[in-house]
Amino acid sequence: MAETTTSASASGPKDRSQELAPWYTETLTSVPDNVRKVLETYSHVPAEEVESHILSLRERAWSICPYPCIGQFRFLDLSISIHPYYPNVISRLLPSSTPGVPSTRDPANFLDLGCCLGQDFRALAAAGVPVSQLHGAELEPAFIDLGFDLFRDRDRVPASRFVTPADIFAESFFDTPEPGKDASGGRGVFAPLLGKMDVIYAASFFHLFDWEGQLEIARRVIKLMRPVPGSVVLGRQAGNLQAGSQESRMNEWLNVFKKNEPGKEESKESGNNPVNDEDRDSTTTTETKNQSYKPTNKNRSSAPYRHNPESWQNLWSEIGRETGTEWEVHSELIESSARRWNMAKPSGEGRVDASASGAPNEDKSWLDQGVRMMWFWVIRK
């Protein structure tokens, strides 16, 4: 198929954030084949409308908050499908492939923590995984709504498959509501999932928080997991050659946004911390400010902890000692281009490092020194 180029300018003039953001990519030069297949065959978007459909939804998502994953079209990654542990995941989730032979195992359950538009949820659904086994959790309800518009599956995916707003740090969200008691405000939204998840996908999630915040996330993940050997949490995240708490350069750009956004001039005087621009899952956005629930933002830090394989092992060793559990930890750091992180695939047969295929003259000034993409999977022993 010939490569096409579609510009966001068709959706209207650029706003100030688009002009300022070094991670805003105006032009969609191509659509990955796997994404096109999902949109055409699962979502039934006509082939000639795929690019314009994506751009329209991207501009709506950008208006919620100008995250790099939105500006760079990284929501098109379907990253779980290129994860090195994916073959294991799909074999566990798919029903028995032998016609006429009933499965001897209970259906495995999948949860995507911080699912954004629910793109990995849809990748699995399009691959044949029953929707009844899939769950997503997202802090920002508007992203879930946009996901339904992007994938056009409101008639096939019940809204109840998504937990939103989903605050991983809110203790009340894990409480079991008392019969007859009001469960509003998010109370108990995670309760039906406790101890039932076989596979938890946490892409671009742990890296938003400091060490203590990541320990707390791990505690909650363990509560959500089925307490048996083989339960797994996997994902990808920003890592670093030198592990530690690192002030993100991206905060400087978000401070620029604050200074140039109408009505935001008071941010500096109020003493509010700048929003970590990767903090997609722990930020109160324009859309959510008018809603009844406000996230706890616990352990959100302008200097989140970035891991290398050794520190990632240490985190799970610590949580294992605390909880009396044991974990088999796998991780790999991959160098990637600033613009196309989705192309940074783990090494191995059929996988390539995209450091040589980055966009020419791309702006890397917002990336931290030593940053790498970390792919990981952590299996309960």
Side-chain angles (χ1 to χ4, degrees), residues 16 257-266:
R16 184 62 172 156
F257 290 159
K258 287 177 176 291
K259 293 176 182 178
N260 285 274
E261 186 178 356
K264 294 296 183 180
E265 292 79 8
E266 74 281 3

Side-chain angles (χ1 to χ4, degrees), residues 156 178 203 246 275-276 305-306:
R156 289 167 286 159
E178 297 181 26
Q246 300 170 358
V275 177
N276 182 339
Y305 197 96
R306 300 291 194 237

Side-chain angles (χ1 to χ4, degrees), residues 334-338 340 343-344 352-360 362 364:
I334 302 295
E335 186 172 1
S336 62
S337 73
R340 297 301 299 165
M343 294 297 293
V352 298
D353 178 6
S355 59
S357 61
E362 64 185 11
K364 296 186 179 181

Side-chain angles (χ1 to χ4, degrees), residues 1-6 27-40 47 49-55 73 75-78 150 340 342-343:
M1 182 175 294
E3 183 175 284
T4 60
T5 300
T6 308
T27 301
L28 180 62
T29 58
S30 64
V31 177
D33 289 342
N34 60 339
V35 177
R36 180 177 289 278
K37 182 179 179 181
V38 169
L39 289 175
E40 291 183 11
E49 297 177 11
V50 167
E51 288 85 356
S52 60
H53 179 63
I54 291 171
L55 279 168
F73 296 101
F75 60 91
L76 297 179
D77 287 1
L78 307 187
L150 177 62
R340 297 301 299 165
N342 63 306
M343 294 297 293

Side-chain angles (χ1 to χ4, degrees), residues 211-223 298 313-327 380:
W211 180 276
E212 289 302 321
Q214 292 182 33
L215 284 175
E216 184 62 24
I217 293 171
R219 296 182 189 108
R220 301 302 173 91
V221 163
I222 291 173
K223 289 183 178 180
K298 181 180 179 182
Q313 173 69 64
N314 291 340
L315 184 137
W316 285 96
S317 295
E318 180 173 338
I319 201 68
R321 290 190 295 271
E322 177 187 314
T323 60
T325 56
E326 292 186 90
W327 302 90
R380 183 163 182 164

